[in-house]
Amino acid sequence: MKIGIFGGSFNPPHKMHLHIAKSLLSRNYVDKVIFVPVSNFYGKKGLVSNQHRYEMLKRLVKDYPNMEVSDYEFQNKLIYTYETLRHFKECYSKDKIYFICGMDNLEEFHEWRHYEEILSTYQVIVITRNKEVEIPTYLKPYQKNIILAETHERNISSTSIRNTLLEGKVDENLTDGVYEYIKNNKLYEKENYTMLKRIKEETTVKNVKGLNKIAKRAAIGSVNTACSWIFDQPKVPEELKKFRKF
């Protein structure tokens, strides 16, 4: 069996993620797709909690028996891609492991931990909108393990989806199940930005200790990840962005 490991932040997961998995399955690139969301230890700005992204992914794939979601990377430390692939290689010792990524990942692969091991040990499926793309020179020795899989769907940005939700609108790029989960759990909501505006009004920029104290208090529990994401939005004043790490 050919097992495709599809990593990413999935913040939130959307129809393009589903289309990629369905396309790879229907064209026999892989026989199963396992979605592996990164943990909050990854350090990417604005991730909602591990559990929220896991639950959204479960709703995304619930009607597809050859797709599943793994919480393997949700450990109390940063898990690198090579470690994740080693894990699934052990779990599926009689099968072949494929790593699914985008062209932007391939261009910066040399910055990944043990990238040579990944490229020499596994088949890497690169999702691209154009099969004529040029593989970086430093990857030429591994070209036999790099598979270009073209997709004809338009590019969908999780950032643009979050911005649409921030405006209180429904985004057509979300499945019904994922959108319902987002709405029920009040993820990516404008009200959280309004709360930060109040923080700014009540706290002077010079009063750093005061700002941090209020921000920390406001960020308790589920609001924490929402706040960290909102700090990255273009509408947030620059002076507030300085204090996003709380």
Side-chain angles (χ1 to χ4, degrees):
M1 182 182 289
K2 295 179 290 186
I3 310 295
I5 307 302
F6 194 173
S9 56
F10 304 111
N11 189 42
H14 50 67
K15 290 181 179 178
M16 186 60 181
H17 296 133
L18 184 61
H19 168 77
I20 289 171
K22 289 169 65 177
S23 178
L24 294 178
L25 288 163
S26 65
R27 291 188 283 169
N28 298 316
Y29 282 103
V30 293
D31 301 307
K32 173 185 283 195
V33 173
I34 302 176
F35 290 81
V36 186
V38 300
S39 77
N40 292 103
F41 279 95
Y42 181 64
K44 191 168 185 177
K45 295 179 180 179
L47 290 179
V48 298
S49 73
N50 293 341
Q51 190 62 32
H52 281 320
R53 289 180 290 113
Y54 180 78
E55 292 296 335
M56 286 189 284
L57 277 168
K58 283 175 63 177
R59 285 156 177 76
L60 184 78
V61 308
K62 67 181 182 64
D63 296 324
Y64 302 91
N66 46 4
M67 298 183 199
E68 61 183 65
V69 186
S70 169
D71 61 357
Y72 172 72
E73 293 195 6
F74 294 169
Q75 302 183 37
N76 292 323
K77 63 176 181 177
L78 177 63
I79 303 296
Y80 292 96
T81 299
Y82 79 91
E83 295 175 299
T84 298
L85 293 174
R86 284 180 183 177
H87 165 73
F88 285 106
K89 187 178 180 182
E90 291 179 4
C91 292
Y92 296 91
S93 58
K94 296 181 179 180
D95 301 307
K96 195 166 186 177
I97 302 299
Y98 291 70
F99 176 58
I100 303 167
C101 69
M103 189 64 202
D104 55 336
N105 296 131
L106 195 66
E107 292 171 350
E108 59 184 27
F109 227 82
H110 61 287
E111 299 176 3
W112 292 30
R113 187 74 60 93
H114 297 311
Y115 79 91
E116 300 98 333
E117 175 185 330
I118 296 173
L119 290 165
S120 60
T121 307
Y122 311 97
Q123 295 282 303
V124 177
I125 300 176
V126 182
I127 306 302
T128 176
R129 299 181 70 185
N130 179 9
K131 271 201 169 184
E132 302 303 319
V133 296
E134 182 67 23
I135 295 177
T137 303
Y138 77 94
L139 294 180
K140 296 292 186 182
Y142 309 100
Q143 192 162 356
K144 65 180 179 64
N145 283 343
I146 298 174
I147 302 169
L148 299 180
E150 189 175 7
T151 176
H152 299 290
E153 282 289 307
R154 63 190 177 89
N155 187 39
I156 298 175
S157 165
S158 290
T159 300
S160 66
I161 292 175
R162 293 195 300 268
N163 288 336
T164 299
L165 294 170
L166 182 63
E167 294 171 0
K169 300 177 182 178
V170 179
D171 196 294
E172 62 179 7
N173 296 309
L174 295 172
T175 63
D176 292 341
V178 171
Y179 177 69
E180 182 180 6
Y181 183 88
I182 289 173
K183 186 176 180 180
N184 290 343
N185 289 274
K186 303 183 185 304
L187 304 180
Y188 316 115
E189 284 198 349
K190 187 175 182 178
E191 284 74 10
N192 294 314
Y193 173 69
T194 302
M195 176 190 65
L196 290 183
K197 285 180 65 178
R198 178 176 59 79
I199 290 174
K200 181 176 182 290
E201 291 169 358
E202 296 179 0
T203 312
T204 63
V205 176
K206 292 182 180 180
N207 186 8
V208 178
K209 291 184 179 179
L211 178 59
N212 283 337
K213 184 177 180 180
I214 294 175
K216 285 179 180 178
R217 188 180 302 154
I220 291 175
S222 62
V223 179
N224 183 30
T225 50
C227 285
S228 68
W229 168 65
I230 292 169
F231 270 121
D232 296 324
Q233 300 308 301
K235 294 181 181 179
V236 177
E238 287 299 321
E239 58 266 35
L240 267 182
K241 290 186 180 181
K242 298 177 184 178
F243 307 109
R244 69 171 305 278
K245 294 183 179 180
F246 52 77

